[in-house]
Every structure is written in structure tokens, then in C-alpha cells.
Amino acid sequence: MQRIVRVFVSAMLATIALAHVSMKSPCVRYTPFCDSCPELPPGQSMDNNINAPIGTHESILQPLCKYTTPYAKPAARWNAGSTVSVEFNPHAAVHGGGHAEFSLSYDMGKTFVVIHRELRYCFTGGPSSSNTGTQLSYAIPLPADLPSGDRVIFAWTWVNAIGNREFYMNCADVAISGKDGGSFTGPQMLVANYGPDTPLIPEFNGNYETGIDLYNSRPMVTVTGSSYTNASAPVAAPPQGAGSGGAYGAGSPSTPLPPTPVATIPLSSAPSVPYSATPTTAATGYGGGIPPPAYPTHVLSSVPATGGGYMASAAPVPHYVSAGPARYRARIAAKYKATGCMH
């Protein structure tokens, strides 16, 4: 009987780890949900919580991109001007949709420029209180004037419509064949609900214009592409406040973006490093030496709506509670001991 309970507990924890959303293709760093990923960098391991957010409005749980050490080889090779398919893990809890951006970085994650946006209804296609996604793949057009880069980061970021105020981000290492020595200008990627120094985008509560003003007022940034023959330490932007990165974003802004809706737009950044080079690890900061904080496992505290969805509340109400895996094992074990299933 104890073996049955242990198996059940393991299955429960696996289900917990599969909550929320992650990008499946192109293969993101350290995902267990893709069979065609490059070999893991030395000392790294698969992330069974790859679907989890990297932060909430209250705290930063992981650095931008989740992981700052890239794969040694690109997970995908793209041509500027083409349309690429982006797919998401079907084990997803989409929290009623929300705002998503797709961005590129040519400088190892210090600057991200937006090339495409799916605002309001990402994963749902329209207003929804469901936790089940109806659209888990997108065709993303790559601007024709993108610069070439053999070490480019393709990033997906998302602010959920319903539930805890969270910020999600996955990054894939890609190579882009475009304009050699070119540059690209577009809106700076928005970082929100990622620690108290970033803007709070509250629960939508049926209003899908919530937070749209922040996206429409992003400053513009310019990225340039070039190939390096030397290795470079992977560096991710630190939590963004009112510093040189501008108002809550990743990168250095130039001219302000007019407050008009933007659907599909270009990117920006600085030099890239060839995948043949072996990246080193920065001594401090998010780029290396200091491991990212452990992400607390999330479980449902209640089921607020039928059909697996979440009902919008009059005020933001957390639908999830956080705790470490050991606590959850103890809770589940206690539950089944109480029911006489565990001796």
C-alpha cells in the first residue's frame, strides 16, 4: 500500500510541475518536453518546472530567460523574412489568456526587442475564463531586415489574465541568417509583475485592455548583429526598475514609442557569439556564479470555476499557493494517512 501511495504522490508532483505554460518549439533552454534539443551545457540539468513563472509582483524567482547559460549549438536556424512556427507545451494552464510578446536579443540577453505581439487573448483567441488553451501554436513572421547572428536569443514573455500576478519567460538559442552587419529597431520588451520594482498588471477581471497602455508606451531600442570569434559570458538583464534600462524593460532605450497599438514589430541589440565558442560564466549576478533562486512549486488552492477554468473575481484573488516539494509530499502523505490509505 505504501508503494501505491508513493507512486500516487510522485504522479501528483509531476502534475504540479506541468502546471502553467512553456514554449516547446523552438526548444527552450533545459526543457524536458522536446526530443530534439541540443546537448545540455556541462553542469546543467533538465527543468521539470519549465512551465513555471520566473517571478511574481512580490518577488523574483529566476533570472530573465530562466537560465542564462545557453546551449552550445542553436536549437533552430532561421532566415530573416521567413515565418517560423512557435509551439507551446500542451500540458498548459493558460489562466484565461493575457498579453504575450516574442522578442530577440543579439547581446546575450542584455537587450530584447519585440518582433511580434499577441495581446489580450494569447492562447484563448478571445475573452475566456478557461484554463485550457485553444491556440497553442503561432506563426511568427521574422522581419526581413533582421541582422545576421549566430548566437541569438528568441524569447517568449507572458502576463496571465487570471490568477496570481506572474511573469513568464522562456528563451531559445537560435541562429539567424539576415543582413550581415545590419541593425534593427523596435519596441523594448516589457517586463512586468517581476518583483516590486516593475509595473503591476492586475487581474483583468474581464477587461482585456488592462495593461495595454504599458505595451503601447514602450521605448524603441536598436540591435545590431555581428559574429564574434571569442567566447563571451552569458549575461541576463537584472531586475528592471528606473535605471538606465528605462521604465521597466530590458535594454537601453532611445526614442519613445508613440502610444499607438503595435501588432508585429522588429528588434534590437549588440554583438553575438558563435555557437562554436564555449561561453564562460560571469563571477557575479544573474550571469553566473550565483545560482538562481529555487522556484516554489504551485498547486491549486481551490477550483473556482467549472470546466477547468477560473472565474474572474471582483478583486484579484490568488488561485495558487506556494510551497516547497517537501511540504507538499508531507501534506499529501498526511492526507492519505488520515483516510487510512497509508500505514
Side-chain angles (χ1 to χ4, degrees), residues 54-62 64 165-167 191-201 238-241 248 286:
I54 65 170
T56 69
H57 182 61
E58 291 76 26
S59 61
I60 293 171
L61 306 174
Q62 288 181 280
L64 296 182
R165 309 323 303 141
E166 298 168 332
F167 185 67
V191 178
N193 295 355
Y194 183 62
D197 291 333
T198 63
L200 169 64
I201 298 180
Q240 300 297 321
Y248 312 106
Y286 285 119

PDB file of all heavy atoms in Angstrom, residues 54-62 64 165-167 191-201 238-241 248 286:
ATOM      1  N   ILE A  54       8.757  33.051 -13.892  1.00  0.00           N
ATOM      2  CA  ILE A  54      10.064  33.434 -13.348  1.00  0.00           C
ATOM      3  C   ILE A  54       9.932  34.461 -12.232  1.00  0.00           C
ATOM      4  O   ILE A  54      10.921  34.800 -11.574  1.00  0.00           O
ATOM      5  CB  ILE A  54      11.008  33.965 -14.443  1.00  0.00           C
ATOM      6  CG1 ILE A  54      10.480  35.270 -15.058  1.00  0.00           C
ATOM      7  CG2 ILE A  54      11.256  32.907 -15.500  1.00  0.00           C
ATOM      8  CD1 ILE A  54      11.495  35.964 -15.975  1.00  0.00           C
ATOM      9  N   GLY A  55       8.723  34.958 -12.021  1.00  0.00           N
ATOM     10  CA  GLY A  55       8.537  35.916 -10.945  1.00  0.00           C
ATOM     11  C   GLY A  55       7.075  36.260 -10.745  1.00  0.00           C
ATOM     12  O   GLY A  55       6.212  35.927 -11.563  1.00  0.00           O
ATOM     13  N   THR A  56       6.820  36.907  -9.631  1.00  0.00           N
ATOM     14  CA  THR A  56       5.504  37.466  -9.338  1.00  0.00           C
ATOM     15  C   THR A  56       5.702  38.947  -9.047  1.00  0.00           C
ATOM     16  O   THR A  56       6.835  39.441  -9.013  1.00  0.00           O
ATOM     17  CB  THR A  56       4.867  36.783  -8.120  1.00  0.00           C
ATOM     18  OG1 THR A  56       5.614  37.147  -6.944  1.00  0.00           O
ATOM     19  CG2 THR A  56       4.872  35.268  -8.269  1.00  0.00           C
ATOM     20  N   HIS A  57       4.623  39.651  -8.796  1.00  0.00           N
ATOM     21  CA  HIS A  57       4.791  41.060  -8.470  1.00  0.00           C
ATOM     22  C   HIS A  57       5.527  41.237  -7.151  1.00  0.00           C
ATOM     23  O   HIS A  57       6.170  42.254  -6.919  1.00  0.00           O
ATOM     24  CB  HIS A  57       3.433  41.755  -8.405  1.00  0.00           C
ATOM     25  CG  HIS A  57       3.543  43.223  -8.106  1.00  0.00           C
ATOM     26  ND1 HIS A  57       4.221  44.096  -8.928  1.00  0.00           N
ATOM     27  CD2 HIS A  57       3.087  43.967  -7.052  1.00  0.00           C
ATOM     28  CE1 HIS A  57       4.165  45.316  -8.421  1.00  0.00           C
ATOM     29  NE2 HIS A  57       3.491  45.260  -7.284  1.00  0.00           N
ATOM     30  N   GLU A  58       5.456  40.236  -6.286  1.00  0.00           N
ATOM     31  CA  GLU A  58       6.099  40.346  -4.980  1.00  0.00           C
ATOM     32  C   GLU A  58       7.567  39.945  -5.004  1.00  0.00           C
ATOM     33  O   GLU A  58       8.360  40.437  -4.197  1.00  0.00           O
ATOM     34  CB  GLU A  58       5.361  39.474  -3.946  1.00  0.00           C
ATOM     35  CG  GLU A  58       3.980  39.973  -3.569  1.00  0.00           C
ATOM     36  CD  GLU A  58       2.948  39.674  -4.663  1.00  0.00           C
ATOM     37  OE1 GLU A  58       3.159  38.705  -5.420  1.00  0.00           O
ATOM     38  OE2 GLU A  58       1.957  40.417  -4.742  1.00  0.00           O
ATOM     39  N   SER A  59       7.951  39.038  -5.897  1.00  0.00           N
ATOM     40  CA  SER A  59       9.311  38.516  -5.813  1.00  0.00           C
ATOM     41  C   SER A  59       9.826  38.029  -7.157  1.00  0.00           C
ATOM     42  O   SER A  59       9.047  37.666  -8.046  1.00  0.00           O
ATOM     43  CB  SER A  59       9.369  37.364  -4.796  1.00  0.00           C
ATOM     44  OG  SER A  59       8.517  36.304  -5.209  1.00  0.00           O
ATOM     45  N   ILE A  60      11.152  38.011  -7.293  1.00  0.00           N
ATOM     46  CA  ILE A  60      11.831  37.471  -8.464  1.00  0.00           C
ATOM     47  C   ILE A  60      12.264  36.050  -8.122  1.00  0.00           C
ATOM     48  O   ILE A  60      12.985  35.834  -7.141  1.00  0.00           O
ATOM     49  CB  ILE A  60      13.046  38.337  -8.844  1.00  0.00           C
ATOM     50  CG1 ILE A  60      12.561  39.710  -9.320  1.00  0.00           C
ATOM     51  CG2 ILE A  60      13.886  37.661  -9.930  1.00  0.00           C
ATOM     52  CD1 ILE A  60      13.681  40.712  -9.508  1.00  0.00           C
ATOM     53  N   LEU A  61      11.814  35.085  -8.900  1.00  0.00           N
ATOM     54  CA  LEU A  61      12.085  33.686  -8.616  1.00  0.00           C
ATOM     55  C   LEU A  61      13.253  33.134  -9.428  1.00  0.00           C
ATOM     56  O   LEU A  61      13.977  32.267  -8.946  1.00  0.00           O
ATOM     57  CB  LEU A  61      10.827  32.849  -8.901  1.00  0.00           C
ATOM     58  CG  LEU A  61       9.568  33.327  -8.171  1.00  0.00           C
ATOM     59  CD1 LEU A  61       8.348  32.547  -8.625  1.00  0.00           C
ATOM     60  CD2 LEU A  61       9.744  33.205  -6.666  1.00  0.00           C
ATOM     61  N   GLN A  62      13.422  33.620 -10.648  1.00  0.00           N
ATOM     62  CA  GLN A  62      14.513  33.207 -11.512  1.00  0.00           C
ATOM     63  C   GLN A  62      14.930  34.394 -12.371  1.00  0.00           C
ATOM     64  O   GLN A  62      14.156  35.341 -12.539  1.00  0.00           O
ATOM     65  CB  GLN A  62      14.095  32.035 -12.412  1.00  0.00           C
ATOM     66  CG  GLN A  62      13.932  30.712 -11.674  1.00  0.00           C
ATOM     67  CD  GLN A  62      13.549  29.576 -12.614  1.00  0.00           C
ATOM     68  OE1 GLN A  62      12.395  29.432 -12.990  1.00  0.00           O
ATOM     69  NE2 GLN A  62      14.523  28.760 -12.993  1.00  0.00           N
ATOM     70  N   LEU A  64      15.877  36.587 -15.824  1.00  0.00           N
ATOM     71  CA  LEU A  64      15.280  36.639 -17.150  1.00  0.00           C
ATOM     72  C   LEU A  64      15.802  35.476 -17.979  1.00  0.00           C
ATOM     73  O   LEU A  64      16.982  35.120 -17.892  1.00  0.00           O
ATOM     74  CB  LEU A  64      15.603  37.967 -17.837  1.00  0.00           C
ATOM     75  CG  LEU A  64      15.032  39.228 -17.192  1.00  0.00           C
ATOM     76  CD1 LEU A  64      15.396  40.466 -18.016  1.00  0.00           C
ATOM     77  CD2 LEU A  64      13.526  39.140 -17.012  1.00  0.00           C
ATOM     78  N   ARG A 165      -0.451  37.330  -9.911  1.00  0.00           N
ATOM     79  CA  ARG A 165       0.194  38.248 -10.851  1.00  0.00           C
ATOM     80  C   ARG A 165       1.610  37.767 -11.103  1.00  0.00           C
ATOM     81  O   ARG A 165       2.508  37.954 -10.284  1.00  0.00           O
ATOM     82  CB  ARG A 165       0.173  39.683 -10.311  1.00  0.00           C
ATOM     83  CG  ARG A 165      -1.191  40.168  -9.868  1.00  0.00           C
ATOM     84  CD  ARG A 165      -2.362  39.661 -10.745  1.00  0.00           C
ATOM     85  NE  ARG A 165      -2.190  40.019 -12.147  1.00  0.00           N
ATOM     86  CZ  ARG A 165      -2.511  39.206 -13.146  1.00  0.00           C
ATOM     87  NH1 ARG A 165      -2.935  37.987 -12.928  1.00  0.00           N
ATOM     88  NH2 ARG A 165      -2.351  39.607 -14.376  1.00  0.00           N
ATOM     89  N   GLU A 166       1.799  37.124 -12.253  1.00  0.00           N
ATOM     90  CA  GLU A 166       3.034  36.429 -12.556  1.00  0.00           C
ATOM     91  C   GLU A 166       3.621  36.903 -13.886  1.00  0.00           C
ATOM     92  O   GLU A 166       2.927  37.492 -14.714  1.00  0.00           O
ATOM     93  CB  GLU A 166       2.773  34.915 -12.621  1.00  0.00           C
ATOM     94  CG  GLU A 166       2.292  34.343 -11.301  1.00  0.00           C
ATOM     95  CD  GLU A 166       1.747  32.930 -11.412  1.00  0.00           C
ATOM     96  OE1 GLU A 166       1.249  32.555 -12.494  1.00  0.00           O
ATOM     97  OE2 GLU A 166       1.803  32.201 -10.407  1.00  0.00           O
ATOM     98  N   PHE A 167       4.907  36.614 -14.056  1.00  0.00           N
ATOM     99  CA  PHE A 167       5.604  36.925 -15.306  1.00  0.00           C
ATOM    100  C   PHE A 167       6.305  35.660 -15.783  1.00  0.00           C
ATOM    101  O   PHE A 167       7.054  35.028 -15.035  1.00  0.00           O
ATOM    102  CB  PHE A 167       6.625  38.045 -15.090  1.00  0.00           C
ATOM    103  CG  PHE A 167       7.301  38.512 -16.352  1.00  0.00           C
ATOM    104  CD1 PHE A 167       6.585  39.168 -17.345  1.00  0.00           C
ATOM    105  CD2 PHE A 167       8.665  38.317 -16.548  1.00  0.00           C
ATOM    106  CE1 PHE A 167       7.202  39.617 -18.511  1.00  0.00           C
ATOM    107  CE2 PHE A 167       9.301  38.769 -17.700  1.00  0.00           C
ATOM    108  CZ  PHE A 167       8.561  39.415 -18.684  1.00  0.00           C
ATOM    109  N   VAL A 191       8.821  44.207 -19.179  1.00  0.00           N
ATOM    110  CA  VAL A 191       8.981  43.333 -18.018  1.00  0.00           C
ATOM    111  C   VAL A 191       8.047  43.853 -16.934  1.00  0.00           C
ATOM    112  O   VAL A 191       8.210  44.971 -16.455  1.00  0.00           O
ATOM    113  CB  VAL A 191      10.434  43.322 -17.516  1.00  0.00           C
ATOM    114  CG1 VAL A 191      10.559  42.448 -16.269  1.00  0.00           C
ATOM    115  CG2 VAL A 191      11.377  42.826 -18.607  1.00  0.00           C
ATOM    116  N   ALA A 192       7.037  43.064 -16.578  1.00  0.00           N
ATOM    117  CA  ALA A 192       6.043  43.482 -15.589  1.00  0.00           C
ATOM    118  C   ALA A 192       5.735  42.310 -14.660  1.00  0.00           C
ATOM    119  O   ALA A 192       5.990  41.149 -14.999  1.00  0.00           O
ATOM    120  CB  ALA A 192       4.765  43.957 -16.286  1.00  0.00           C
ATOM    121  N   ASN A 193       5.190  42.606 -13.483  1.00  0.00           N
ATOM    122  CA  ASN A 193       4.859  41.568 -12.499  1.00  0.00           C
ATOM    123  C   ASN A 193       6.081  40.704 -12.179  1.00  0.00           C
ATOM    124  O   ASN A 193       5.978  39.492 -11.980  1.00  0.00           O
ATOM    125  CB  ASN A 193       3.703  40.682 -12.993  1.00  0.00           C
ATOM    126  CG  ASN A 193       2.411  41.451 -13.137  1.00  0.00           C
ATOM    127  OD1 ASN A 193       2.347  42.619 -12.777  1.00  0.00           O
ATOM    128  ND2 ASN A 193       1.381  40.815 -13.664  1.00  0.00           N
ATOM    129  N   TYR A 194       7.250  41.344 -12.149  1.00  0.00           N
ATOM    130  CA  TYR A 194       8.520  40.646 -11.922  1.00  0.00           C
ATOM    131  C   TYR A 194       9.261  41.381 -10.813  1.00  0.00           C
ATOM    132  O   TYR A 194      10.215  42.100 -11.042  1.00  0.00           O
ATOM    133  CB  TYR A 194       9.316  40.651 -13.223  1.00  0.00           C
ATOM    134  CG  TYR A 194      10.630  39.903 -13.204  1.00  0.00           C
ATOM    135  CD1 TYR A 194      10.690  38.533 -12.969  1.00  0.00           C
ATOM    136  CD2 TYR A 194      11.825  40.576 -13.456  1.00  0.00           C
ATOM    137  CE1 TYR A 194      11.894  37.853 -12.981  1.00  0.00           C
ATOM    138  CE2 TYR A 194      13.052  39.900 -13.473  1.00  0.00           C
ATOM    139  CZ  TYR A 194      13.071  38.546 -13.237  1.00  0.00           C
ATOM    140  OH  TYR A 194      14.283  37.881 -13.264  1.00  0.00           O
ATOM    141  N   GLY A 195       8.755  41.201  -9.596  1.00  0.00           N
ATOM    142  CA  GLY A 195       9.310  41.918  -8.465  1.00  0.00           C
ATOM    143  C   GLY A 195       8.649  43.258  -8.272  1.00  0.00           C
ATOM    144  O   GLY A 195       8.038  43.821  -9.197  1.00  0.00           O
ATOM    145  N   PRO A 196       8.745  43.822  -7.065  1.00  0.00           N
ATOM    146  CA  PRO A 196       8.032  45.063  -6.735  1.00  0.00           C
ATOM    147  C   PRO A 196       8.545  46.296  -7.477  1.00  0.00           C
ATOM    148  O   PRO A 196       7.877  47.333  -7.468  1.00  0.00           O
ATOM    149  CB  PRO A 196       8.243  45.200  -5.229  1.00  0.00           C
ATOM    150  CG  PRO A 196       9.476  44.403  -4.939  1.00  0.00           C
ATOM    151  CD  PRO A 196       9.477  43.277  -5.909  1.00  0.00           C
ATOM    152  N   ASP A 197       9.725  46.217  -8.113  1.00  0.00           N
ATOM    153  CA  ASP A 197      10.241  47.376  -8.840  1.00  0.00           C
ATOM    154  C   ASP A 197       9.772  47.432 -10.290  1.00  0.00           C
ATOM    155  O   ASP A 197      10.209  48.292 -11.052  1.00  0.00           O
ATOM    156  CB  ASP A 197      11.777  47.362  -8.817  1.00  0.00           C
ATOM    157  CG  ASP A 197      12.333  47.626  -7.431  1.00  0.00           C
ATOM    158  OD1 ASP A 197      11.635  48.302  -6.641  1.00  0.00           O
ATOM    159  OD2 ASP A 197      13.435  47.147  -7.125  1.00  0.00           O
ATOM    160  N   THR A 198       8.900  46.516 -10.683  1.00  0.00           N
ATOM    161  CA  THR A 198       8.348  46.534 -12.041  1.00  0.00           C
ATOM    162  C   THR A 198       6.852  46.850 -11.975  1.00  0.00           C
ATOM    163  O   THR A 198       6.233  46.728 -10.921  1.00  0.00           O
ATOM    164  CB  THR A 198       8.563  45.180 -12.742  1.00  0.00           C
ATOM    165  OG1 THR A 198       7.853  44.155 -12.028  1.00  0.00           O
ATOM    166  CG2 THR A 198      10.044  44.825 -12.816  1.00  0.00           C
ATOM    167  N   PRO A 199       6.263  47.271 -13.085  1.00  0.00           N
ATOM    168  CA  PRO A 199       4.846  47.631 -13.053  1.00  0.00           C
ATOM    169  C   PRO A 199       3.971  46.433 -12.695  1.00  0.00           C
ATOM    170  O   PRO A 199       4.280  45.298 -13.057  1.00  0.00           O
ATOM    171  CB  PRO A 199       4.559  48.087 -14.482  1.00  0.00           C
ATOM    172  CG  PRO A 199       5.867  48.347 -15.105  1.00  0.00           C
ATOM    173  CD  PRO A 199       6.852  47.466 -14.420  1.00  0.00           C
ATOM    174  N   LEU A 200       2.888  46.706 -11.998  1.00  0.00           N
ATOM    175  CA  LEU A 200       1.888  45.695 -11.701  1.00  0.00           C
ATOM    176  C   LEU A 200       0.798  45.742 -12.764  1.00  0.00           C
ATOM    177  O   LEU A 200       0.179  46.783 -12.974  1.00  0.00           O
ATOM    178  CB  LEU A 200       1.272  45.936 -10.324  1.00  0.00           C
ATOM    179  CG  LEU A 200       0.018  45.100 -10.000  1.00  0.00           C
ATOM    180  CD1 LEU A 200       0.368  43.619  -9.948  1.00  0.00           C
ATOM    181  CD2 LEU A 200      -0.622  45.567  -8.698  1.00  0.00           C
ATOM    182  N   ILE A 201       0.590  44.640 -13.451  1.00  0.00           N
ATOM    183  CA  ILE A 201      -0.569  44.492 -14.323  1.00  0.00           C
ATOM    184  C   ILE A 201      -1.551  43.613 -13.557  1.00  0.00           C
ATOM    185  O   ILE A 201      -1.307  42.422 -13.368  1.00  0.00           O
ATOM    186  CB  ILE A 201      -0.211  43.860 -15.678  1.00  0.00           C
ATOM    187  CG1 ILE A 201       0.773  44.762 -16.433  1.00  0.00           C
ATOM    188  CG2 ILE A 201      -1.464  43.616 -16.507  1.00  0.00           C
ATOM    189  CD1 ILE A 201       1.195  44.217 -17.789  1.00  0.00           C
ATOM    190  N   PRO A 238      19.403  42.414 -15.230  1.00  0.00           N
ATOM    191  CA  PRO A 238      18.929  42.309 -13.856  1.00  0.00           C
ATOM    192  C   PRO A 238      17.506  42.827 -13.756  1.00  0.00           C
ATOM    193  O   PRO A 238      16.960  43.335 -14.728  1.00  0.00           O
ATOM    194  CB  PRO A 238      19.903  43.224 -13.100  1.00  0.00           C
ATOM    195  CG  PRO A 238      20.314  44.234 -14.112  1.00  0.00           C
ATOM    196  CD  PRO A 238      20.367  43.494 -15.418  1.00  0.00           C
ATOM    197  N   PRO A 239      16.866  42.688 -12.589  1.00  0.00           N
ATOM    198  CA  PRO A 239      15.528  43.234 -12.426  1.00  0.00           C
ATOM    199  C   PRO A 239      15.488  44.691 -12.858  1.00  0.00           C
ATOM    200  O   PRO A 239      16.349  45.483 -12.494  1.00  0.00           O
ATOM    201  CB  PRO A 239      15.263  43.087 -10.925  1.00  0.00           C
ATOM    202  CG  PRO A 239      16.179  41.984 -10.498  1.00  0.00           C
ATOM    203  CD  PRO A 239      17.384  42.070 -11.384  1.00  0.00           C
ATOM    204  N   GLN A 240      14.469  45.040 -13.614  1.00  0.00           N
ATOM    205  CA  GLN A 240      14.429  46.374 -14.198  1.00  0.00           C
ATOM    206  C   GLN A 240      13.611  47.330 -13.362  1.00  0.00           C
ATOM    207  O   GLN A 240      12.468  47.067 -13.026  1.00  0.00           O
ATOM    208  CB  GLN A 240      13.838  46.290 -15.618  1.00  0.00           C
ATOM    209  CG  GLN A 240      14.647  45.403 -16.553  1.00  0.00           C
ATOM    210  CD  GLN A 240      16.043  45.940 -16.759  1.00  0.00           C
ATOM    211  OE1 GLN A 240      16.217  47.148 -16.855  1.00  0.00           O
ATOM    212  NE2 GLN A 240      17.018  45.074 -16.822  1.00  0.00           N
ATOM    213  N   GLY A 241      14.190  48.436 -13.041  1.00  0.00           N
ATOM    214  CA  GLY A 241      13.477  49.490 -12.351  1.00  0.00           C
ATOM    215  C   GLY A 241      13.607  50.771 -13.138  1.00  0.00           C
ATOM    216  O   GLY A 241      13.478  50.802 -14.334  1.00  0.00           O
ATOM    217  N   TYR A 248      11.176  49.936 -16.640  1.00  0.00           N
ATOM    218  CA  TYR A 248      10.771  48.543 -16.581  1.00  0.00           C
ATOM    219  C   TYR A 248      10.892  47.816 -17.907  1.00  0.00           C
ATOM    220  O   TYR A 248       9.906  47.396 -18.485  1.00  0.00           O
ATOM    221  CB  TYR A 248       9.333  48.450 -16.083  1.00  0.00           C
ATOM    222  CG  TYR A 248       9.094  49.272 -14.856  1.00  0.00           C
ATOM    223  CD1 TYR A 248       8.383  50.464 -14.944  1.00  0.00           C
ATOM    224  CD2 TYR A 248       9.611  48.902 -13.629  1.00  0.00           C
ATOM    225  CE1 TYR A 248       8.180  51.230 -13.817  1.00  0.00           C
ATOM    226  CE2 TYR A 248       9.402  49.657 -12.503  1.00  0.00           C
ATOM    227  CZ  TYR A 248       8.690  50.819 -12.594  1.00  0.00           C
ATOM    228  OH  TYR A 248       8.472  51.577 -11.495  1.00  0.00           O
ATOM    229  N   TYR A 286      23.258  37.623 -12.265  1.00  0.00           N
ATOM    230  CA  TYR A 286      22.466  36.588 -12.898  1.00  0.00           C
ATOM    231  C   TYR A 286      23.239  35.817 -13.951  1.00  0.00           C
ATOM    232  O   TYR A 286      22.803  34.779 -14.400  1.00  0.00           O
ATOM    233  CB  TYR A 286      21.220  37.198 -13.524  1.00  0.00           C
ATOM    234  CG  TYR A 286      20.169  37.565 -12.546  1.00  0.00           C
ATOM    235  CD1 TYR A 286      19.755  38.890 -12.415  1.00  0.00           C
ATOM    236  CD2 TYR A 286      19.604  36.618 -11.715  1.00  0.00           C
ATOM    237  CE1 TYR A 286      18.798  39.236 -11.493  1.00  0.00           C
ATOM    238  CE2 TYR A 286      18.642  36.966 -10.787  1.00  0.00           C
ATOM    239  CZ  TYR A 286      18.239  38.269 -10.683  1.00  0.00           C
ATOM    240  OH  TYR A 286      17.298  38.602  -9.778  1.00  0.00           O
TER     241      TYR A 286
END
